[in-house]
Amino acid sequence: MAVTKNQSPMSRAPQKLSAKSPIVQALGTAIAAIPAYQSAQADAPPAYSEMGIRYSHYDEDQLAESTFIFGSRDRYDIDITQFWFETPVGGSWSVALDVQNDVMSGASPWFIGTNVDGDPGVITSGASISDQRVEVGVTTRYFWADGNAGFNVAQSKEDDYEATSWAFDASWNSEDNARTWTTSLSSSNDSLEPEQGNIPVSIERGSLDTQSVYFGMSQILSSTALMRVGLSYTVSDGYLSDPYKLFDQRPDQHERFAISTGYRRHFIEAQGSLHLDYRYYDDSWGTHSHTAEVAWHQEIRGHSLKPYIRYYSQEQADFFSTRAQLDERYYADDFRLSSYGALTAGVRGVLAVGDWQFEGQVERYMSEHSWGLSGGEESPALVDFWRMTVGVSWRFD
C-alpha cells in the first residue's frame, strides 16, 4: 500500500469538507496512513495478533501580534488517539480494526483584513471552536506467494461532517523478487452540514465525492540499496469551499497529480540507513509544490532512532489573494492556498522489549513566505506548530 507522508495540507486529497483547522486533516491522515501493524508490507499473513494504542498532541503557535487584528491569538490544540488490532485468519488472510478519535479546540482564521497601517492582518473566529471526530475502519487482506491485496472500509463522523470511504490496494513481486509493483484505488463520499455559531456560514448543506488512483514500483539496486517511484491522481467534485471563511468561493472540481521517488541505502558497519525522498505535486487550481526529506534510520541493539528534516515549497493557487476579490468568480484568502516554504525537523524512536514495542516522536514545523521557491502574495496567517506522539503495541499468539 502506498504510504502518504505528512507534508502540507495542500498536498493531500481532502478528507473532509470543513476546514476549521489548518492541519487537522494532515494529522488524521498522517497517523492513519502509517500502517500501525506488522503485515502492512509483507507477502505472508501475520504470525501473531497485535494490538496497540497511539496518542498524538498537536499545538499551533499563537498568531504574531504584528499580523493579528481581532479575535483570539490562540490557535488550535488537537488531541488524537488511535487504537488498532490485527489478527491472522486461516493461513492466507488477516483482519485489522482501526479506531481514531480527534478532539480539537481553539481559533481559526476567519478572513484577512487590513490594519491601521494598511497591511493585511488576521481576524479569527475567536477561541470558541470545539469539535470531535471519530473514525472507524476495517481492513481485510489476502496473501499469496508473490504478493498481497487488501480492502478497507471506513466511516468518519463529527458534528458537522460525515464521510464514508473504501480503498483497495495490491502489491506483487517479480519472479526474481527484485521488483515490487503496487497499485491502489480509493473513493470517499462526504457530506457537510455547517454549524451556525459565532461565525456565520454561507450554506446549509454540501457534498463532495473524491476518487484516487496510485501506481508505484520499488526496485532492489544492490544488497544494500533500493529505490521507489510512484504516480498518483486524485479528483474531487462537489462543494470545495470553506463555509467557515468569509467570501471563500472555490471551484467545484479539484484535480491533483503527484510523482514521488525515494532512495534507501543501508550502511552495514554503521548499522544505519540513509533515507532520501522527493515529491512533486501539481493541481488544477494553479498550485504546485516540492517536498524533499532526508532521514537517518539508526539501529541500536534491536531498537531504532530516526532523525529527519523535511523542506516544503508551494506556489499559490490562481484565485488566492489577501484582499477580497468580490468581482471575481473564485476567491480565497486561506493561507493553505498561498505561496510559502516550510521546514520540519523531528525524531522518532522505537524501543522493543520482548513482545512489547514503545514509540515516541517529536516534530517541529515552521513556515515563512520567504522560504518558498515561488513569488506571490504573503499570507499573514501562516502556521507554526509542535507535534508529539507516544505509542505502545503488544504482540501475542
Side-chain angles (χ1 to χ4, degrees), residues 3 9 12 15 49 79 116 119 128 176 182 186 189-190 199 205 260 288 295 301 319 323 326 350 361 370 375:
V3 175
R12 285 172 300 278
Q15 299 299 311
S49 298
D79 295 294
V116 293
D119 298 323
S128 59
D176 60 1
T182 302
S186 65
N189 179 261
D190 306 357
I199 301 301
R205 292 181 179 84
S260 59
H288 67 261
R301 297 181 180 179
F319 49 85
R323 301 183 187 276
L326 301 184
V350 176
Q361 182 177 4
S370 60

Side-chain angles (χ1 to χ4, degrees), residues 20-140:
K20 297 178 189 176
S21 166
I23 201 82
V24 67
Q25 298 176 30
L27 286 169
T29 303
I31 291 177
I34 300 173
Y37 28 83
Q38 54 199 310
S39 64
Q41 301 289 333
D43 292 331
Y48 38 75
S49 298
E50 179 177 304
M51 66 168 48
I53 188 168
R54 180 185 292 126
Y55 167 78
S56 184
H57 179 71
Y58 164 86
D59 187 13
E60 293 180 351
D61 292 4
Q62 282 189 331
L63 279 165
E65 289 188 14
S66 60
T67 61
F68 172 71
I69 296 179
F70 180 78
S72 172
R73 289 178 56 204
D74 293 329
R75 301 181 74 165
Y76 274 105
D77 288 328
I78 308 175
D79 295 294
I80 302 114
T81 305
Q82 182 193 29
F83 168 82
W84 72 88
F85 172 74
E86 186 197 35
T87 188
V89 178
S92 301
W93 293 84
S94 71
V95 174
L97 169 70
D98 287 276
V99 180
Q100 184 167 309
N101 181 70
D102 307 340
V103 179
M104 67 178 184
S105 62
S108 176
W110 182 21
F111 67 95
I112 304 300
T114 303
N115 61 25
V116 293
D117 297 323
D119 298 323
V122 182
I123 296 174
T124 73
S125 61
S128 59
I129 294 177
S130 62
D131 203 355
Q132 180 175 3
R133 182 177 77 95
V134 177
E135 180 173 323
V136 178
V138 177
T139 302
T140 181

Side-chain angles (χ1 to χ4, degrees), residues 127-342:
S128 59
I129 294 177
S130 62
D131 203 355
Q132 180 175 3
R133 182 177 77 95
V134 177
E135 180 173 323
V136 178
V138 177
T139 302
T140 181
R141 186 168 296 276
Y142 175 72
F143 300 83
W144 64 93
D146 297 321
N148 68 86
F151 183 76
N152 168 271
V153 292
Q155 177 75 24
S156 177
K157 185 174 178 57
E158 57 189 273
D159 293 341
D160 62 350
Y161 157 82
E162 186 171 353
T164 302
S165 64
W166 63 264
F168 170 82
D169 71 272
S171 298
W172 62 98
N173 303 323
S174 60
E175 291 185 4
D176 60 1
N177 288 321
R179 181 175 299 171
T180 300
W181 304 96
T182 302
T183 188
S184 65
L185 300 170
S186 65
S187 179
S188 178
N189 179 261
D190 306 357
S191 61
L192 170 71
E193 294 186 11
E195 295 182 321
Q196 297 285 351
N198 294 337
I199 301 301
V201 296
S202 56
I203 67 165
E204 293 183 358
R205 292 181 179 84
S207 62
L208 175 67
D209 292 316
T210 299
Q211 285 77 41
S212 297
V213 59
Y214 171 86
F215 187 76
M217 180 270 291
S218 62
Q219 175 70 47
I220 296 175
L221 303 178
S222 70
S223 61
T224 58
L226 62 87
M227 60 85 66
R228 63 168 180 81
V229 64
L231 295 170
S232 67
Y233 170 75
T234 301
V235 59
S236 298
D237 290 286
Y239 185 76
L240 287 160
S241 302
D242 188 335
Y244 299 102
K245 294 189 181 298
L246 189 64
F247 305 133
D248 194 277
Q249 187 63 41
R250 311 181 192 188
D252 58 7
Q253 185 177 76
H254 194 193
E255 294 182 275
R256 283 141 288 170
F257 308 85
I259 180 170
S260 59
T261 184
Y263 175 78
R264 304 288 184 265
R265 171 69 186 277
H266 182 68
F267 295 85
I268 299 175
E269 293 186 0
Q271 294 186 337
S273 302
L274 176 66
H275 294 193
L276 302 175
D277 292 282
Y278 171 77
R279 182 176 186 265
Y280 174 76
Y281 165 92
D282 187 51
D283 70 18
S284 59
W285 289 359
T287 298
H288 67 261
S289 68
H290 305 270
T291 307
E293 180 174 300
V294 179
W296 178 263
H297 184 94
Q298 182 66 53
E299 296 292 334
I300 308 172
R301 297 181 180 179
H303 316 304
S304 67
L305 193 66
K306 183 181 179 181
Y308 58 91
I309 187 168
R310 184 184 310 127
Y311 172 73
Y312 179 83
S313 177
Q314 173 178 295
E315 182 173 1
Q316 70 184 40
D318 294 335
F319 49 85
F320 171 82
S321 178
T322 58
R323 301 183 187 276
Q325 306 291 323
L326 301 184
D327 57 337
E328 299 290 338
R329 183 178 181 183
Y330 302 120
Y331 162 75
D333 60 16
D334 189 336
F335 77 88
R336 292 167 296 177
L337 301 176
S338 70
S339 292
Y340 67 95

Side-chain angles (χ1 to χ4, degrees), residues 348-364:
R348 180 176 185 267
V350 176
L351 178 67
V353 181
D355 294 329
W356 294 84
Q357 181 171 285
F358 303 88
E359 65 173 289
Q361 182 177 4
V362 61
E363 181 176 276
R364 176 61 171 168

